Amino acid sequence: MSAKIAAQLITQRRFLPLLLAQCLGSLNDNLFRYALVTMVTYSGLSLFGLERDILVPIAASMITLPIFLFSAIAGRLADKYDRTCIMRVTKQIEIWIMLLAALALFLRQPLLLLPTLFLMGTQSAFFTPAKNSALPSLLAPHELVPANALLSGFLNVSILMGVALGTWLAVRPLGPEIIGAGLVIIAILGWLSARQLPRVEAANRDLPVTFNFIAETFRVLGYALKAPEVLRPLLGAAWFWMLAASIITLMPVFTASVLGADATVVLLFSALFTMGAAVGALLCGALSGKGDALSFSIAGAIGLVVFTSDVALATWSNPIVPHGAPLIGANAFLADPTNWRLLADLGFAAVSAGLFVVPLQAMAQRRAVPEMRGRLLAAGGIMNAATATLGQFTLAFIALGRLPIQTAFLLIAAGSLLAAAVTGWRLALRRRPASAPS
C-alpha cells in the first residue's frame, strides 16, 4: 500500500516540487562544501596560513553554526506565514548566494568562500522548518511516512552526488568555474520547483516576530520539553544524526589505522553508507502501510546493534597500522574476501539507520499541533545540529580515554539498544489498551 502511495505522491504538485527543491538544495550544499574541502586539501587553498587540519573543521562549522543560531526564529516564521511561500523566498535567496559562491570559486578567494558557506547554512536553517511543518498541511496523515521516506532516500542520493562531483571537479582544469556555474543553475531549478507548490494557510498569523535568536532558541526548546509526545521522536531522530556524524568522523582514521586502507576506501564506505541509508528509507516507505511504522524504527535500531557490534568484533584483533605505513586502495580491499564481512556490516547498518529514522520524522510532524508545528520541528533541527556536533567529537573522546577506535562502534550499538528498548516499550504501552479485555 505504501509503495502505491509513494508512487502517487511523486507525480503530484503538492509533493514533487518540494522533493525536487530539497534534493537540488542538498546537491548544491554538498557540491560546494566538498569542492572547498578538496581545494583546501589538494590545491593549496588556505586562509591566514592556517593548516588544512584546522581550516577544514572551520569550514564545516560555517554551515552548521547557522542551524544553532537561526532555527528557532525560522520555526517562528514558519508558524506565522505561509510555509510554502517561505520555501519559495529562501530558494530565491539561494540563487544570490550561489552567485556569490561562483564568484568566490572563480577568484579562489577563501575570504569569500567561508562567509558563503555560512550564508548557505543560514538559507537551509530557514528552509528546513518551513518544509517539515508544511508536509502535514500538504499531505494526509497516512502519506507522511512514505513522503518522509522519499525525502530521506533521495536526499541521501543528492548528498552522494554532491560529494562525488565536488571532489572530482574541484581538482580538474576549470573545475571551480564549472562548479560555480552549476551551483547557479541548480539554484534556479530549485527556485522554479518551489514556485510550483500550492499555498498553505498560515497557522498563527498573530504570532509576534522576534530576532532575539538566543532567547527564542531556549523558548523553542522549552516548547518541545512541554510536548513529550513530539519530543520523543525528535530525540530519536537526533540520535540518528549523532550516529551519522560519528561514523563520518571515525571512518578516515578507522580505515587508515585499523584496516590499513587509503582514502579511496573511505570514499567507498561513504558511498555504501549513503546508499544504504537511502535504501532503508525507501524500504520503510514502501512496506510501512498506513500506520506510524514504529516497528520499523525498532527493527532498524536492532539492526544497528547487531551490525555495528560486528564491525567492532570483526576488527578488534587487527594490529594498529603505524602512521606513514603503505596503505591499500579500494581495488585491493575489495579483492580480499575477509573484508566482505565488514562491507556487509556497514551496508546493513546503513539500511538499518534509514529504517530507524523515517517513522520518527513522520511521527513528530503528525503529532505537532499546527499552530506550533514550525517551532516544535525547529527544536528538532537544533537538537540534530547539537548531537551531530557531539558525534563529531567521538574520536576525540576515545583518544582522551586511550580506548581502541572500535569502542565507538560498541557505543553506537549500546545507544541503539537503548533506543530499541524505549521504542518497543512505548509501542507496547500504546497497544496494551487495545488488547485488554473489555
Side-chain angles (χ1 to χ4, degrees):
M1 177 61 73
S2 285
K4 182 179 179 181
I5 295 171
Q8 292 171 343
L9 283 175
I10 210 165
T11 64
Q12 296 180 9
R13 183 187 168 198
R14 60 198 175 102
F15 179 73
L16 179 60
L18 189 151
L19 175 66
L20 291 174
Q22 175 191 267
C23 290
L24 290 168
S26 176
L27 174 61
N28 253 357
D29 285 350
N30 288 278
L31 175 60
F32 182 72
R33 186 192 319 184
Y34 280 88
L36 175 55
V37 168
T38 303
M39 291 168 68
V40 169
T41 304
Y42 297 107
S43 300
L45 187 71
S46 184
L47 175 65
F48 302 134
L50 293 173
E51 295 289 335
R52 67 184 184 184
D53 291 345
I54 297 175
L55 189 56
V56 168
I58 291 174
S61 68
M62 286 294 101
I63 207 164
T64 56
L65 180 61
I67 299 174
F68 286 108
L69 298 180
F70 306 127
S71 284
I73 295 174
R76 178 171 283 263
L77 294 177
D79 285 336
K80 182 175 177 63
Y81 299 108
D82 174 357
R83 289 155 180 164
T84 57
C85 180
I86 293 174
M87 285 189 275
R88 287 193 289 271
V89 171
T90 56
K91 297 305 286 186
Q92 187 175 28
I93 292 171
E94 183 182 338
I95 297 173
W96 294 102
I97 297 173
M98 291 304 106
L99 285 168
L100 179 61
L103 177 63
L105 287 167
F106 180 78
L107 297 175
R108 313 294 201 274
Q109 179 51 261
L111 283 174
L112 279 178
L113 289 167
L114 290 180
T116 301
L117 274 177
F118 184 86
L119 291 174
M120 291 171 70
T122 302
Q123 184 268 339
S124 296
F126 282 88
F127 177 83
T128 302
K131 176 205 73 177
N132 289 336
S133 56
L135 275 174
S137 300
L138 294 167
L139 308 177
H142 69 275
E143 294 174 321
L144 286 175
V145 170
N148 276 279
L150 288 170
L151 287 167
S152 183
F154 282 100
L155 175 67
N156 280 289
V157 173
S158 63
I159 289 171
L160 185 59
M161 289 176 61
V163 171
L165 287 172
T167 304
W168 182 73
L169 282 173
V171 293
R172 295 294 185 275
L174 296 179
E177 289 79 6
I178 295 171
I179 291 171
L183 292 172
V184 176
I185 293 170
I186 293 167
I188 292 172
L189 293 175
W191 171 65
L192 291 174
S193 297
R195 281 175 56 87
Q196 307 309 310
L197 283 166
R199 295 183 67 86
V200 173
E201 189 67 27
N204 192 350
R205 290 187 180 277
D206 296 329
L207 190 68
V209 175
T210 177
F211 295 101
N212 186 338
F213 59 86
I214 297 175
E216 188 63 17
T217 297
F218 284 104
R219 190 178 296 119
V220 162
L221 292 173
Y223 293 148
L225 289 173
K226 294 175 183 177
E229 72 283 357
V230 180
L231 179 62
R232 285 190 294 268
L234 290 179
L235 287 173
W239 165 250
F240 166 82
W241 289 107
M242 181 175 180
L243 178 153
S246 298
I247 290 178
I248 290 170
T249 305
L250 285 167
M251 271 306 157
V253 178
F254 174 78
T255 302
S257 64
V258 176
L259 304 179
D262 65 13
T264 61
V265 178
V266 177
L267 185 60
L268 172 67
F269 287 159
S270 298
L272 183 65
F273 193 84
T274 304
M275 294 307 299
V279 169
L282 294 173
L283 275 176
C284 180
L287 303 175
S288 60
K290 291 189 176 182
D292 57 22
L294 259 186
S295 57
F296 284 86
S297 285
I298 297 171
I302 293 172
L304 285 167
V305 173
V306 172
F307 297 116
T308 55
S309 295
D310 197 54
V311 170
L313 294 174
T315 60
W316 195 266
S317 60
N318 286 22
I320 297 299
V321 178
H323 183 69
L327 303 175
I328 63 171
N331 289 336
F333 183 84
L334 291 171
D336 186 350
T338 60
N339 292 323
W340 296 354
R341 171 183 172 185
L342 184 62
L343 288 169
D345 282 336
L346 290 172
F348 283 117
V351 172
S352 299
L355 287 172
F356 175 75
V357 73
V358 167
L360 300 175
Q361 292 170 331
M363 185 180 296
Q365 291 164 358
R366 186 167 53 247
R367 290 180 174 182
V369 294
E371 62 272 14
M372 290 190 63
R373 187 178 291 140
R375 284 166 288 173
L376 287 172
L377 298 181
I382 295 168
M383 288 188 285
N384 292 345
T387 54
T389 301
L390 186 61
Q392 291 170 355
F393 286 95
T394 301
L395 193 61
F397 295 147
I398 289 173
L400 288 173
R402 300 185 182 278
L403 300 170
I405 294 175
Q406 294 92 327
T407 306
F409 293 99
L410 295 179
L411 292 174
I412 291 171
S416 301
L417 180 61
L418 178 62
V422 171
T423 307
W425 174 64
R426 295 296 309 177
L427 185 61
L429 286 180
R430 291 174 56 191
R431 289 181 174 177
R432 186 178 299 169
S435 60
S438 56

